Amino acid sequence: MRRQMSYRFEDQDASPYGLRMNRRFSRVESGVDLKDYFDRGDIASRENRWNFEVAWEVANKVGGIYTVIRSKAYVSTEEMGEQLCMMGPYKEVCARTEMEEMEFPRGNPLLDAVNSMRSRGYKIHTGRWLVDGNPQLILFDIGSAAWKLDQFKSEMWEKCHIGIPHLDIETNDAIILGFMIAEFLEEFRNFAVTYSQNHDLNPPRIVAHFHEWQAGVGLIVLRTRLVEIATVFTTHATLLGRYLCAGNTDFYNNLDKFAVDEEAGKRQIYHRYCLERGATHLAHVFTTVSEITGFEAEHLLKRKPDIITPNGLNVKKFSAIHEFQNMHAVAKEKINEFVRGHFYGHMDFDLDKTMYFFIAGRYEFGNKGADIFIEALARLNAMLKHERPDTTVVAFLIFPTKTNNFNVDSLRGHAVIKQLRDTINNVQQAVGKRMFDTCLKGHLPNSADLLEKDDLVKIKRCMYAMQRDSMPPVTTHNVADDWNDPVLASIRRCHLFNSVHDRVKMVFHPEFLTSTNPLFGIDYEEFVRGCHLGVFPSYYEPWGYTPAECTVMGIPSVTTNLSGFGCFMQEHISDPKSYGIYIVDRRYIGLEDSIQQLSTFMMEFSRLNRRQRIIQRNRTERLSDLLDWRTLGIYYRQARVKALQAVYPDYVDESAIYGSRSNLVFSRPHSEPPSPTSSRHTTPAPSVHGSDDEDSVDEETELKELGIK
């Protein structure tokens, strides 16, 4: 295991690039939500202001940024309307189900620019994205411009001295896409200027927002060609940072010591690193998704972000607070069904006293914190044996990896349980019929007459079929090269073999959950709702959508102060643990102490009774407003305004209403502990669906029940 980060980042007042920022250098203070600007682009249209959002993942489901772009599409469209356009590569497999093709209306500068590009031989698909908000789409067929690849590379070398290897297909595609988008934006600006002059409009003000290094090529081309367009560049995770952490490097302790050019060269990604760094420095405004990624960018990309743009989610509100609690109960029962089948023959634990913990994500064993999770579970197992032997924890590890099909023992268990259930149902119907007939004759039923010998034989046959000599498997699949698999190796080392004496049971599910899964039969979202605690002790996590998803579903979670989500919660909530957000310190203390802290958090959670867990889920769900795009989308808007003012000094944001109302303060219902810090401006307004007296207890009583002083 890698060493922990043992020092605290020092506040820096100045950088070599002329930016003066304190510790909260990138936090633009906000007194409003993005919904205050929801006018479907009315003001933007009057100002002749256009916004283009560029990403490789637009209508192309290939990574986590897809979730960011897709979930943000609704609030972006509500703000900008037809003045917003999203651009990316045309990938037919995804586009067939994600895009509704249609042309822009006649007279629109977008149509003129598209037709101009098509006249050059480029294939361009236009239409709308089939997601909430239905934003306008322009997708570029990379293959139609492949014949100009050498020309594009030559220009990149002449102007930026960045050479692209011929065999790097992904970078070649990024070069082609970047040049196509830059040419389109240049054409669009020319047509927009002409259109504005002909219709007596204000000069067009255009901002292009690029996500990650693949899209950043377009930004580099725009700036080197001196096109008058405001640019924003967002890195969701630095390219070199991902490679360094994947190599089990002591990342945070050496962040200021890495020879970045040498490290990128060693990993044969120097050209990609140069593209990312070039886009970072050429952008008018540079943003990252979290402060921890901002520190990373400062050292690896050599520029501090101007604004932090946290990732949000589309939060689904419920009319009554008990609805998501009911959904938890329904989903939990489906997980109970899986547990009955997986642990058949060894169901020596009470499901009413069983809690479900889980970890999920990309199979990055160290980066995602699976290493310390398993180690902490071993310690939790020992503590439960000693202190709460009647409590059981089933820990699910959901990491997709290569397998050779389902584990036969897992499939057999579910078949055996189904046979037992069917037999019991048949016997139950037969007993009910006999009881009805006996009562109909005016006699009280005799137990000996109700359950016949044949019924007992059937039940005994099923019970004998449930017997097994081996312990329940720790994995649901036959994992390829299981002896070298890091999760299985760690489970073996910690001796978590699902024995009868273990109070922590392990289930490694090496594929993503879908509703067609023959073992679970539920999708990932429903699985999360049915669990009690999500555990994500990540070492490298620029943001962290998994704990954020738990929060909006009302499921408590464990995160770390090295994840963007954990840092965000620490900043905006005075007592995160009271709201079901447990933050493990992987930044300032050693690895052993972090593992001990994680096991202590899980043990504390295991001590909660059902009523206490319900109270905590209510609190956790109240934080969903904090993660809603309606709250967090304001930072994207402020990044665009800042970029526009850099290019158009005379630009004044006519719709700005900063300070038009008092700072947002998270309310403090009677059933809540101390509320989030009121002085932090991004704390959301009170939940519209909660009530202050839903638990019918006063604050002191509830805090006493939860053991919070």
Side-chain angles (χ1 to χ4, degrees):
M1 296 183 187
R2 54 165 65 86
R3 289 169 54 210
Q4 292 282 121
M5 183 177 187
S6 57
Y7 69 92
R8 182 183 296 269
F9 284 119
E10 297 297 330
D11 296 348
Q12 298 190 21
D13 294 328
S15 81
Y17 301 95
L19 299 173
R20 292 185 57 82
M21 307 177 187
N22 58 20
R23 185 179 182 279
R24 301 192 191 284
F25 60 86
S26 53
R27 180 68 63 204
V28 174
E29 301 298 350
S30 169
V32 294
D33 288 337
L34 189 63
K35 61 178 176 287
D36 292 311
Y37 301 98
F38 284 180
D39 60 3
R40 297 291 299 181
D42 181 57
I43 294 177
S45 179
R46 293 203 305 267
E47 293 179 350
N48 203 8
R49 174 164 46 88
W50 298 81
N51 178 34
F52 293 90
E53 195 143 4
V54 185
W56 190 265
E57 291 81 4
V58 168
N60 182 27
K61 191 175 183 179
V62 292
I65 301 172
Y66 171 85
T67 304
V68 179
I69 305 296
R70 176 182 171 134
S71 62
K72 190 169 68 68
Y74 172 75
V75 295
S76 298
T77 308
E78 286 296 304
E79 179 198 358
M80 295 295 297
E82 301 298 279
Q83 304 296 108
L84 167 72
C85 189
M86 295 189 170
M87 302 193 294
Y90 178 76
K91 301 292 183 180
E92 186 176 1
V93 174
C94 294
R96 279 200 301 251
T97 57
E98 299 254 352
M99 180 186 190
E100 179 185 8
E101 292 205 33
M102 60 180 67
E103 295 294 332
F104 293 114
R106 298 180 69 176
N108 191 319
L110 287 170
L111 179 63
D112 295 333
V114 168
N115 289 336
S116 175
M117 293 289 286
R118 286 170 175 165
S119 68
R120 302 180 188 182
Y122 299 148
K123 289 184 180 179
I124 297 179
H125 300 259
T126 61
R128 292 191 178 273
W129 197 355
L130 297 177
V131 297
D132 288 345
N134 293 117
Q136 299 178 121
L137 278 184
I138 301 177
L139 301 182
F140 298 82
D141 189 329
I142 294 173
S144 66
W147 59 281
K148 299 187 72 173
L149 176 60
D150 289 339
Q151 178 184 330
F152 295 155
K153 285 185 176 182
S154 177
E155 181 176 338
M156 185 63 68
W157 173 254
E158 290 172 1
K159 292 188 176 181
C160 304
H161 295 285
I162 299 176
I164 311 299
H166 178 69
L167 296 179
D168 189 345
I169 297 174
E170 184 179 2
T171 307
N172 287 340
D173 287 348
I175 292 291
I176 296 171
L177 176 66
F179 273 85
M180 292 178 77
I181 286 175
E183 289 184 20
F184 170 82
L185 289 173
E186 189 173 3
E187 283 295 299
F188 171 77
R189 185 188 176 281
N190 294 335
F191 282 110
V193 168
T194 303
Y195 181 86
S196 302
Q197 292 171 348
N198 293 340
H199 292 79
D200 197 23
L201 299 175
N202 293 326
R205 293 183 171 93
I206 306 166
V207 60
H209 191 149
F210 299 84
H211 295 264
E212 286 295 298
W213 69 273
Q214 295 103 318
V217 175
L219 187 153
I220 295 173
V221 178
L222 282 177
R223 298 287 279 135
T224 54
R225 291 184 177 181
L226 305 179
V227 181
E228 192 179 282
I229 289 179
T231 57
V232 180
F233 180 66
T234 296
T235 180
H236 296 256
T238 68
L239 188 65
L240 185 56
R242 283 199 183 279
Y243 274 85
L244 288 170
C245 282
N248 208 30
T249 306
D250 186 12
F251 184 61
Y252 290 101
N253 276 329
N254 295 292
L255 197 54
D256 58 342
K257 301 180 182 68
F258 288 119
V260 289
D261 295 317
E262 181 182 346
E263 294 293 345
K266 284 179 184 176
R267 290 158 179 80
Q268 299 182 352
I269 58 164
Y270 185 65
H271 54 290
R272 298 186 181 191
Y273 168 74
C274 289
L275 292 173
E276 182 181 38
R277 186 165 168 178
T280 298
H281 286 272
L282 288 172
H284 294 102
V285 172
F286 171 52
T287 80
T288 63
V289 297
S290 63
E291 287 196 6
I292 195 72
T293 309
F295 285 116
E296 179 185 335
E298 177 191 353
H299 291 291
L300 300 185
L301 298 177
K302 308 303 180 184
R303 179 178 177 180
K304 287 183 179 181
D306 303 296
I307 296 176
I308 296 297
T309 51
N311 290 333
L313 288 164
N314 274 335
V315 178
K316 181 182 179 183
K317 295 296 183 184
F318 300 101
S319 58
I321 195 70
H322 64 266
E323 286 189 40
F324 80 92
Q325 296 282 8
N326 292 342
M327 294 174 74
H328 165 75
V330 171
K332 178 188 169 188
E333 183 54 36
K334 292 183 179 180
I335 300 177
N336 285 347
E337 278 298 295
F338 165 82
V339 170
R340 293 185 183 104
H342 190 80
F343 292 93
Y344 80 95
H346 290 272
M347 282 296 297
D348 55 338
F349 51 92
D350 185 355
L351 288 179
D352 287 334
K353 295 181 178 179
T354 298
M355 283 177 278
Y356 299 137
F357 297 176
F358 81 99
I359 184 173
R362 289 187 305 275
Y363 199 2
E364 298 175 5
F365 183 69
N367 286 351
K368 294 298 181 184
D371 48 357
I372 75 166
F373 179 46
I374 296 172
E375 179 64 37
L377 285 172
R379 302 183 187 193
L380 175 65
N381 189 36
M383 288 188 280
L384 287 174
K385 286 180 183 178
H386 174 72
E387 185 178 331
R388 301 180 69 85
D390 59 337
T391 299
T392 303
V393 169
V394 178
F396 295 93
L397 296 94
I398 302 173
F399 294 118
T401 189
K402 190 177 293 186
T403 64
N404 297 323
N405 219 325
F406 289 99
N407 187 314
V408 174
D409 205 18
S410 292
L411 292 173
R412 181 176 183 273
H414 290 277
V416 167
I417 293 301
K418 184 179 184 300
Q419 182 184 20
L420 175 63
R421 185 180 297 280
D422 292 344
T423 301
I424 295 296
N425 287 338
N426 292 336
V427 170
Q428 186 179 6
Q429 289 179 3
V431 169
K433 186 176 184 302
R434 294 186 199 113
M435 184 181 293
F436 176 77
D437 291 340
T438 302
C439 292
L440 198 62
K441 294 174 184 177
H443 304 296
L444 283 174
N446 189 320
S447 58
D449 297 331
L450 294 179
L451 196 62
E452 296 181 349
K453 185 175 181 180
D454 186 49
D455 296 331
L456 287 172
V457 170
K458 290 178 182 177
I459 294 173
K460 286 179 180 179
R461 286 170 64 94
C462 289
M463 292 183 65
Y464 290 147
M466 288 176 57
Q467 295 178 354
R468 71 201 295 188
D469 297 326
S470 61
M471 290 183 290
V474 296
T475 178
T476 58
H477 291 61
N478 297 319
V479 177
D481 194 21
D482 69 336
W483 193 250
N484 294 315
D485 183 84
V487 164
L488 295 179
S490 189
I491 289 173
R492 294 186 191 104
R493 180 177 58 80
C494 294
H495 297 281
L496 293 172
F497 296 127
N498 294 340
S499 74
V500 116
H501 305 292
D502 286 329
R503 298 282 35 96
V504 172
K505 312 290 186 181
M506 304 295 293
V507 178
F508 177 32
H509 188 67
E511 70 173 23
F512 285 128
L513 291 172
T514 63
S515 56
T516 58
N517 188 301
L519 299 180
F520 285 89
I522 56 177
D523 59 20
Y524 176 74
E525 180 179 337
E526 195 173 7
F527 172 80
V528 172
R529 287 193 182 278
C531 288
H532 297 89
L533 182 69
V535 185
F536 314 102
S538 303
Y539 181 79
Y540 183 78
E541 191 71 78
W543 175 246
Y545 257 123
T546 41
E549 289 168 338
C550 286
T551 302
V552 300
M553 292 187 224
I555 304 300
S557 62
V558 178
T559 183
T560 73
N561 57 359
L562 286 182
S563 74
F565 174 81
C567 294
F568 183 80
M569 285 301 181
Q570 271 189 325
E571 181 183 352
H572 292 89
I573 304 175
S574 59
D575 187 10
K577 189 161 69 169
S578 297
Y579 285 84
I581 308 295
Y582 298 83
I583 301 176
V584 174
D585 189 351
R586 296 201 67 178
R587 188 169 177 177
Y588 306 128
I589 62 178
L591 181 63
E592 171 62 27
D593 293 332
S594 293
I595 295 172
Q596 191 60 40
Q597 187 181 43
L598 175 57
S599 60
T600 301
F601 282 160
M602 293 193 292
M603 187 63 198
E604 288 177 3
F605 187 85
S606 301
R607 293 191 185 106
L608 300 179
N609 58 36
R610 178 172 296 179
R611 173 181 171 78
Q612 291 170 332
R613 294 197 301 269
I614 289 173
I615 292 170
Q616 192 173 67
R617 282 198 295 272
N618 286 344
R619 294 177 181 171
T620 303
E621 195 274 341
R622 288 191 190 108
L623 297 178
S624 60
D625 285 336
L626 189 61
L627 299 170
D628 197 331
W629 273 123
R630 292 170 180 82
T631 302
L632 299 179
I634 192 68
Y635 296 118
Y636 277 84
R637 174 184 172 80
Q638 291 169 351
R640 295 195 302 269
V641 170
K642 193 178 181 74
L644 284 168
Q645 290 172 341
V647 177
Y648 312 104
D650 60 334
Y651 172 69
V652 177
D653 186 11
E654 292 180 5
S655 60
I657 52 175
Y658 305 119
S660 64
R661 69 170 187 233
S662 60
N663 294 336
L664 296 172
V665 178
F666 205 104
S667 63
R668 186 182 181 187
H670 298 303
S671 62
E672 287 194 358
S675 59
T677 306
S678 61
S679 62
R680 290 168 183 167
H681 300 273
T682 52
T683 308
S687 176
V688 296
H689 50 74
S691 63
D692 291 350
D693 57 352
E694 67 202 22
D695 295 305
S696 68
V697 295
D698 62 32
E699 182 186 356
E700 290 186 6
T701 303
E702 183 180 319
L703 293 178
K704 185 177 180 181
E705 283 190 18
L706 287 170
I708 299 171
K709 296 182 180 179

